[in-house]
């Protein structure tokens, strides 16, 4: 077993990777096959990537299921040298895993998450709770707080939501999101779409688009019908992308923020 210093701090490698040991028991599966079963995972942040990933000691990975990659990608991960294809029950998943060249991470293997990249392992668990899309960042906080603020949302000058009973969601690194009861939203001005997204902090979201002719991005409104317990207060409520609509809080118009979502929206 590769020994790692377990002091509570983030380290940096010469390649620019940030990493720290995690105390969580992590398992990754493809179908009914457990590919990773680790009590010594490491969280890794790649330069320019806002979310972490896990890397695992080789001893806690089913290396017998890994094959040298037939078509390794160029520049897919920071300084990565070796990619692996994953073969489970006769199905080959290309470039599902890789290793970093950093000395500090020698002897570790990282995996793609299917829900994030469309390849890799299907299901991930921390302890007995399934987690989705990517590992949760221990340095990030998400709080959903009921409020009595007066929140009004306008699209192209039309008021589409007006409430004094929002839930404010505070998520590290993102603008405040205002979740509004459906009864306080002009649902007749919105049309449901087939778009769905997953979030490791909140769950699976469903979306609506604006019916009007204004230059508004599609899927500008979302809701979590069955949120994770930590943000249960937003259940069934609707939120609008601050980046694309006009939001007024207690009489003060908010500036439209520029976030990692802005480019995708526009």
């Amino acid at each position: 077993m590769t020994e790692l210093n377990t002091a509570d701090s983030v380290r940096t490698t010469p390649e620019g990777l940030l990493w720290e040991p995690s105390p969580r028991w992590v398992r990754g599966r493809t179908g009914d096959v457990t590919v990773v079963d680790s009590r010594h995972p490491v969280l890794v942040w790649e330069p320019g990537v806002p979310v972490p990933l896990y890397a695992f000691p080789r001893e806690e990975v089913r290396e017998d299921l890994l094959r040298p990659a037939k078509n390794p990608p160029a520049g897919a991960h920071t300084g990565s040298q070796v990619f692996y294809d994953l073969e489970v029950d006769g199905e080959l998943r290309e470039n599902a895993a890789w290793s970093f060249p950093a000395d500090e991470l020698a002897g570790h293997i990282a995996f793609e998450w299917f829900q994030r990249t469309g390849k890799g392992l299907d299901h991930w668990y921390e302890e007995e709770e399934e987690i989705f899309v990517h590992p949760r960042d221990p340095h990030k906080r998400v709080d959903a707080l009921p409020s009595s603020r007066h929140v009004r949302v306008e699209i192209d000058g039309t008021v589409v939501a007006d409430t004094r009973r929002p839930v404010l969601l505070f998520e590290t690194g993102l603008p405040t999101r205002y979740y509004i009861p459906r009864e306080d939203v002009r649902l007749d001005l919105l049309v449901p779409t087939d778009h769905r997204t997953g979030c490791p902090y909140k769950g699976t979201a469903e979306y609506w688009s604006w019916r009007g002719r204004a230059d508004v991005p599609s899927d500008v409104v979302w809701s979590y019908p069955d949120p994770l317990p930590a943000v249960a207060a937003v259940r069934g409520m609707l939120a609008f992308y601050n980046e694309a609509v006009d939001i007024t809080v207690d009489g003060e118009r908010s500036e439209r923020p520029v976030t990692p979502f802005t480019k995708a929206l526009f």
Side-chain angles (χ1 to χ4, degrees):
M1 178 72 66
T2 302
E3 294 294 329
L4 290 173
N5 183 352
T6 56
D8 185 18
S9 61
V10 178
R11 290 82 159 190
T12 305
T13 75
E15 297 82 4
L17 296 165
L18 302 177
W19 68 276
E20 68 177 1
S22 171
R24 304 186 182 199
W25 174 26
V26 178
R27 285 159 290 160
R29 295 177 181 167
T30 292
D32 295 328
V33 177
T34 298
V35 180
V36 176
D37 189 335
S38 178
R39 288 171 170 80
H40 308 88
V42 174
L43 280 165
V44 182
W45 291 262
E46 296 186 89
V49 180
V51 299
L53 54 86
Y54 276 123
F56 308 95
R58 289 179 176 269
E59 300 90 330
E60 298 178 340
V61 170
R62 286 280 306 274
E63 285 196 87
D64 60 300
L65 301 176
L66 299 180
R67 313 280 183 264
K70 295 181 179 179
N71 301 295
H77 292 282
T78 302
S80 51
Q81 292 181 326
V82 181
F83 282 86
Y84 303 92
D85 295 337
L86 173 69
E87 185 173 357
V88 177
D89 294 333
E91 178 188 356
L92 190 70
R93 300 193 176 190
E94 292 191 347
N95 302 311
W98 71 96
S99 61
F100 291 111
D103 290 341
E104 298 93 323
L105 298 175
H108 287 70
I109 295 177
F111 285 83
E112 299 285 5
W113 290 39
F114 189 84
Q115 288 187 331
R116 179 170 175 79
T117 64
K119 57 185 177 181
L121 304 190
D122 300 314
H123 299 283
W124 289 93
Y125 301 85
E126 291 178 344
E127 304 301 330
E128 297 302 326
E129 181 176 336
E130 186 169 7
I131 54 176
F132 306 94
V133 187
H134 61 77
R136 288 176 283 204
D137 190 329
H139 304 286
K140 187 171 186 175
R141 186 180 178 101
V142 179
D143 295 306
L145 304 180
S147 177
S148 59
R149 290 179 183 243
H150 181 199
V151 178
R152 188 176 72 249
V153 181
E154 298 177 45
I155 296 179
D156 194 32
T158 299
V159 176
V160 294
D162 194 314
T163 189
R164 293 183 182 272
R165 47 178 185 157
V167 171
L168 274 57
L169 192 134
F170 302 94
E171 183 170 352
T172 304
L174 291 175
T176 304
R177 301 301 191 187
Y178 300 93
Y179 283 78
I180 299 172
R182 289 177 182 238
E183 298 83 358
D184 296 340
V185 177
R186 288 283 307 276
L187 291 173
D188 60 303
L189 300 177
L190 307 174
V191 57
T193 75
D194 294 329
H195 187 55
R196 299 292 185 271
T197 60
C199 171
Y201 306 101
K202 299 183 285 293
T204 300
E206 57 187 15
Y207 286 78
W208 289 259
S209 290
W210 168 244
R211 285 186 182 274
R213 296 183 178 180
D215 185 18
V216 179
S218 58
D219 303 310
V220 73
V221 186
W222 73 90
S223 177
Y224 290 94
D226 188 22
L228 296 176
V231 294
V234 305
R235 182 183 301 274
M237 304 180 86
L238 276 67
F240 294 74
Y241 275 110
N242 312 43
E243 299 89 336
V245 303
D246 296 314
I247 298 179
T248 301
V249 181
D250 292 337
E252 183 177 347
R253 176 70 63 88
S254 302
E255 292 187 9
R256 293 189 183 184
V258 176
T259 74
F261 295 101
T262 302
K263 184 176 181 180
L265 284 168
F266 295 98

